[in-house]
Amino acid sequence: MTSKHEHWQRNWQRNWQRNWWLSVLVLAVSLCAPETSRSVVASQATAQRPNIVLIYADDIGYGDISSYGATAVKTPNVDRLAKEGLRFTSGYATSATCTPSRYSMLTGQYAFRKQGTGVLPGDAALIIEPGRTTLPAVLKRAGYSTGVVGKWHLGLGAGKDKLDWNGEITPGPLDIGFDYSFIMAATGDRVPTVYVENRRVVGLDPADPIRVNYDKPFPGEPTGVSQRGELKMDWSHGHNMAVVNGVGRIGYMTGGKSALWVDEDMADAFTKKAVTFLEQQKGKPFFLYFATHDIHVPRVPHPRFKGKTTMGPRGDAIVEFDWSVGEILRALDRLKLTQNTLVILTSDNGPVIDDGYKDDAVAKLGAHKPSGPFRGGKYSAFEAGTRVPFLVRWPGRIKPGISDALFSQVDLLATFAALTGQTLAASDAPDSFALLPALTGNTKTGRPHIVEHAGGLALREGNWKYIEPRNGPKISANTNTELGNDPQPQLYDLAQDPGETRNLATQHPDRVQAMQEQLRKLRAEGRSRR
Ligand code: NG6
Ligand code: CA
């Protein structure tokens, strides 16, 4: 007992002496340094900046994760984040589809403000202007080394007729703030079905150049129509153009045989690159944006995940996603980075069951509820379109628990700027709120309102949800999702009715009018950050 105490005391004294000398040194350096670097030295001495890993799933719903209530699938690695960190119940993607959500997250601007931010084809031009203040650029400015691995879907190059997949592909991630990138251009179901590392297609044989066309087929190349009987997985809607690896895709493509990806190996390929990025970091803080392809269509997980659930490829892809998360967390442990790494895990939009392939997702769903307690899913203005899993872990800084604070992915930019002691210019990130206290669980107060963007707009303010009137199908003919369209205004009390089943608009005309006015203002002002 005594000897233990003495040992502790000796250690404490030694540490105190070491820290005292360090403080003297920092003070001396800062006094000699010019004004700007002086504040940098001081802030580094007081708070070590965390590394940041942002794990961004594709199409994973609120109810697809066991820590959010799923029972038909187990996600132990994701659940580890929930256990060791904060589990948000009101974390949102900005939009009910991929491109606009990613655009908003990386620019801090709601995508509904900018034309051309809808789901992009694989040959679209980059939609984020180089030189703009982006999420990675903010962190790069703070001295971070920045990398993106996985799904991009924000366009590449200067547009379809100007982009040569066989040469330098630019502009791209490296021009908007990333130091390193290993990506797919768009989605797993869109051509070109190749990986792009930094500015080049990986494994390309110059003698077999790639050509891509979204309008017309290449003569002689098989299509999902001509080869329908021989496909590995049949399509249910769309996905009948190029055939790659026995799977029909959106868009036509020819050439690049040696560079084509194998869907079954994709999670391995991305995870390996992400782990390598972590291993290569030396000294500097880093930011890794790890955007998995799982669980987007085509769902073709590696055979080792086959049958891991009773739900077919959609369930097995969730297990594959969870495995990828585990690999990242284990790499952080191995590299002794866990303690000072902020890990955020979320998804780009809500869940979808049949998104264009006959992969048994509908038939084998059973009692599983991908949307959790919410209504709708991907493409929908109802909650499940944008309310997604949102987990935040930073050991030592964030106390494990649950937070009901309203937090949108569009807030990450300003929040990371605050985390790294930076002030944004007024024109930057017009919809991004700096919510560091909410992100770290120091307050349960998040943003005052959230715009949810599907076809039209919806607004959540406190627990009230208003969906603006919109014509259009109530249910998507393709995916069978309840889209939230109604020519009448809709108003729901999410506290009493999280499933949006009772439209209270006629009972509360004043609230409807106030929320409509608030939406009008949010649109007209072009910004919402004060
Ligand atoms: C749709 C595709 C769907 C998916 C989606 C984008 C058809 C019929 N459907 O157009 O399969 O690719 O776009 O998904 O082609 S997202 O998650 O990238 O937004
Ligand atoms: Ca998506």
Side-chain angles (χ1 to χ4, degrees), residues 59 98 151 153 189-190 237 239 250 296 355 378-379:
D59 294 2
C98 165
K151 179 178 180 179
H153 212 186
D189 54 348
R190 284 173 173 76
H237 51 268
H239 307 105
I250 309 171
H296 197 277
D355 207 14
K378 181 176 182 177
Y379 310 112

Side-chain angles (χ1 to χ4, degrees), residues 145-161:
S145 131
T146 56
V148 53
V149 174
K151 179 178 180 179
W152 182 241
H153 212 186
L154 293 161
L156 287 173
K160 55 181 177 182
D161 303 325

Side-chain angles (χ1 to χ4, degrees), residues 22-23 26 38-51 142 144 283 285 339-340 394 396-397 417-421 436 440:
L22 194 70
S23 306
V26 166
R38 199 181 296 166
S39 64
V40 171
V41 171
S43 71
Q44 274 171 358
T46 48
Q48 206 194 339
R49 290 168 178 182
N51 308 305
Y144 280 61
Q339 202 62 19
N340 198 40
W394 184 5
R397 282 296 298 270
L419 177 69
T420 51
L436 192 56
T440 52

